Amino acid sequence: MALDKEIKKKVFEDWQNAFPQLSNYTQEKFYKVVGPIIIGLELIKLSRTEEYRPHFVVYSLFGNKMGNDIKACLAGPIVLQEYTNNKGFQFEIPYTKHSNFFNDVIESIKKQTPLSFDGNISLKNILSMVDEYSKKPPLNASPNSYLQAALLEAKLKIALYVSAADAQNVFDEIKKIDWDTKHFKACGVSVNDWIESMWKTINNRDEFLKQIEKNKQDKKISSLKCSEIIN
């Protein structure tokens, strides 16, 4: 058991050293705050094995369907994207053979990560990243579903952090889509109520920004490295 802990400790230390732009949130999670979102890497252990996979993640600091506090924000990512090897397969890295794979994994991550971990990030790049994510399976199978709507809502709120005008551009895009009302209903959401809630959010931008700042004051979040979104 002690050896197992030491092996995993070495794995987590290697990841932290490879990405000094990110802060160690837990042993398996490495994050930074970028404006109204958290981006970073998570090492997700595979069930019933002693192997793990790295994933790129994005969480909001403005809340989601589950609530607006930091606990709700971190309960479900906006983006959870796996990395693949040069054959197109997801990595399955044994903790005990971590060093055999590590250099190749880091190379893949640097090529495949959709946002830079260095410095500030443009709003355009973040919104484009969400768009590209929405086109990947299985999300692309249902372009008018509530799952796609949730991504557009995230886009709108990320844009709203920058300005109401940027959020309005996304809102105009949302209103043009012929949403799948049956799928919304199956998710317990009314299309009209959902659209109205975003209109209200745009018109209450000050309250929206206050919630983000409140979540940033969380003890563990406030200790993370930070960058900003720029227009």
Side-chain angles (χ1 to χ4, degrees):
M1 182 63 71
L3 176 63
D4 184 54
K5 286 183 179 179
E6 287 302 310
I7 289 171
K8 289 185 177 180
K9 182 181 177 183
K10 176 64 166 61
V11 169
F12 304 140
E13 286 176 352
D14 284 350
W15 279 94
Q16 181 65 83
N17 291 334
F19 294 96
Q21 315 97 313
L22 304 177
S23 301
N24 186 199
Y25 186 76
T26 68
Q27 276 197 319
E28 302 90 356
K29 299 177 181 181
F30 308 92
Y31 296 158
K32 72 178 291 188
V33 171
V34 182
I37 59 175
I38 293 168
I39 70 171
L41 299 170
E42 291 185 4
L43 312 181
I44 299 178
K45 185 182 180 299
L46 302 179
S47 60
R48 298 186 296 278
T49 73
E50 287 300 322
E51 299 174 333
Y52 72 90
R53 284 178 182 156
H55 289 72
F56 172 74
V57 293
V58 178
Y59 291 91
S60 88
L61 284 166
F62 44 74
N64 51 41
K65 190 180 177 184
M66 293 174 276
N68 295 328
D69 62 14
I70 195 65
K71 184 178 179 181
C73 290
L74 294 176
I78 299 169
V79 172
L80 178 67
Q81 179 177 314
E82 71 277 3
Y83 293 97
T84 55
N85 60 27
N86 55 16
K87 294 181 180 179
F89 297 113
Q90 291 186 60
F91 287 103
E92 296 180 357
I93 307 166
Y95 289 99
T96 54
K97 297 181 180 178
H98 154 83
S99 58
N100 297 352
F101 294 86
F102 194 57
N103 289 338
D104 288 341
V105 174
I106 295 301
E107 194 64 32
S108 295
I109 284 178
K110 288 180 177 177
K111 289 178 181 176
Q112 296 172 32
T113 296
L115 294 175
S116 173
F117 294 140
D118 294 310
N120 297 330
I121 305 177
S122 74
L123 176 62
K124 180 181 178 181
N125 284 351
I126 293 177
L127 299 187
S128 294
M129 177 274 298
V130 178
D131 284 339
E132 288 304 309
Y133 182 68
S134 73
K135 296 172 185 175
K136 295 180 178 181
L139 289 165
N140 61 347
S142 304
N144 298 341
S145 69
Y146 178 67
L147 299 178
Q148 290 282 356
L151 285 175
L152 270 173
E153 180 175 350
K155 275 182 61 177
L156 181 145
K157 291 179 176 178
I158 293 167
L160 183 59
Y161 178 81
V162 176
S163 76
D166 286 304
Q168 186 64 47
N169 290 336
V170 182
F171 189 57
D172 291 342
E173 179 186 350
I174 286 170
K175 290 190 294 181
K176 292 176 183 176
I177 297 173
D178 183 17
W179 293 107
D180 182 349
T181 54
K182 289 183 179 179
H183 189 264
F184 270 69
K185 189 174 181 180
C187 295
V189 181
S190 156
V191 173
N192 290 337
D193 290 349
W194 173 69
I195 290 174
E196 185 179 353
S197 72
M198 281 182 291
W199 180 82
K200 288 179 178 177
T201 300
I202 293 173
N203 284 279
N204 288 280
R205 183 169 179 264
D206 288 347
E207 289 301 313
F208 170 79
L209 294 176
K210 283 179 185 177
Q211 183 62 50
I212 292 170
E213 290 308 312
K214 181 180 178 182
N215 287 333
K216 284 184 177 181
Q217 298 310 310
D218 174 84
K219 185 176 180 181
K220 290 190 74 174
I221 301 301
S222 65
S223 68
L224 300 177
K225 292 182 172 71
C226 297
S227 294
E228 270 302 339
I229 294 181
I230 53 176
N231 217 339

